[in-house]
Amino acid sequence: MAGNPQGHQEGAAGAARPVGVLALQGDFREHVSVLRGLGAEVVTVRRPEEAAAISGLVIPGGESSVMDKLSRAFGVAEALKRRIAEGMPVYGTCAGLIMLADRIVDGIRGQESLGGLDVAVRRNAFGGQTESFEAELSVPVLGDPPMHAIFIRAPVVAELGPGATALATLDDGTVVAVEQGNLLGTSFHPEMTADYRFHQYFLQKVAGFDNGTARSSRP
Ligand code: GLN
């Protein structure tokens, strides 16, 4: 790319690094289109070498147990764990939030995560009652108006460790959005609405990471 107008760090090839969307499974296409709509250069990520060449990652919704198995089978899980440890910004929605949790409650046998967020996330937390629902959420870090949030077989943050901060809760206090340094997770699916403030918030972290001012999730 000629010039470097956004001040991005130059990669080995001399080009600013794009943001990635983990594309093993789930609604990754929607995230690609949201991020492109916001002006980002976006690539899909399935392989370890692709994980090494991005400046941030979105992990989509889908089925976390399948995403976990595929990410390990493709060898991309280890590469992403290294990038998370380096402080690369990652935004996980729904199954993506489960992938970012240090601890999974009600996972399938042997289910692992990439980790990074000091939280326990309960899969299918609304499963027995209503599998899907919508709610208006106040998200102070994003300001007004409240966010219309779509929950589909959604997880919740069952325990918030000292390293993590709640960004939004349901009326009963259940935590459904969380942040820790450069990591961001939501139980719901902003890519299915027209409100992309979480994606913008993520892209701000990416810009900070690429010019070296971002905070890692680990002190
Ligand atoms: N229940 C799914 C899981 O366990 C998540 C659902 C979603 O991503 N919409 O991964």
Side-chain angles (χ1 to χ4, degrees):
M1 193 197 291
N4 193 15
Q6 285 147 346
H8 287 215
Q9 184 176 311
E10 302 268 315
R17 294 177 298 177
V19 293
V21 178
L22 189 62
L24 298 169
Q25 192 268 337
D27 76 333
F28 57 88
R29 291 176 192 83
E30 284 77 0
H31 287 282
V32 169
S33 110
V34 169
L35 291 166
R36 286 196 176 136
L38 293 172
E41 191 192 335
V42 187
V43 293
T44 53
V45 173
R46 298 182 183 85
R47 304 157 65 92
E49 55 272 29
E50 292 165 340
I54 51 175
S55 57
L57 181 75
V58 169
I59 308 180
E63 174 46 55
S64 58
S65 58
V66 176
M67 229 180 264
D68 165 47
K69 278 190 188 141
L70 292 175
S71 67
R72 286 189 276 146
F74 281 52
V76 74
E78 282 309 312
L80 288 176
K81 285 182 190 175
R82 283 195 293 275
R83 299 303 316 276
I84 289 170
E86 271 172 31
M88 180 179 76
V90 185
Y91 172 30
T93 58
C94 204
L97 165 63
I98 299 170
M99 291 292 288
L100 283 179
D102 282 348
R103 300 171 288 285
I104 302 176
V105 181
D106 293 340
I108 69 162
R109 181 189 291 265
Q111 182 169 352
E112 296 180 15
S113 63
L114 301 170
L117 283 175
D118 180 16
V119 296
V121 165
R122 183 183 305 280
R123 282 178 70 230
N124 302 332
F126 305 98
Q129 315 148 33
T130 46
E131 292 211 338
S132 302
F133 64 98
E134 303 186 14
E136 301 305 314
L137 282 185
S138 158
V139 188
V141 78
L142 300 180
D144 283 328
M147 175 161 274
H148 185 71
I150 301 176
F151 294 81
I152 303 168
R153 291 178 58 80
V156 299
V157 177
E159 284 169 29
L160 193 67
T165 305
L167 296 183
T169 58
L170 297 176
D171 287 346
D172 67 1
T174 304
V175 175
V176 292
V178 66
E179 176 177 35
Q180 180 170 346
N182 270 345
L183 303 181
L184 197 57
T186 58
S187 303
F188 48 93
H189 290 270
E191 78 284 4
M192 293 184 172
T193 69
D195 187 342
Y196 304 136
R197 284 177 288 167
F198 268 106
H199 290 83
Q200 285 168 322
Y201 192 58
F202 159 74
L203 288 174
Q204 283 167 18
K205 289 181 184 290
V206 171
F209 177 66
D210 247 10
N211 66 31
T213 60
R215 288 179 304 133
S216 163
S217 62
R218 300 281 184 227

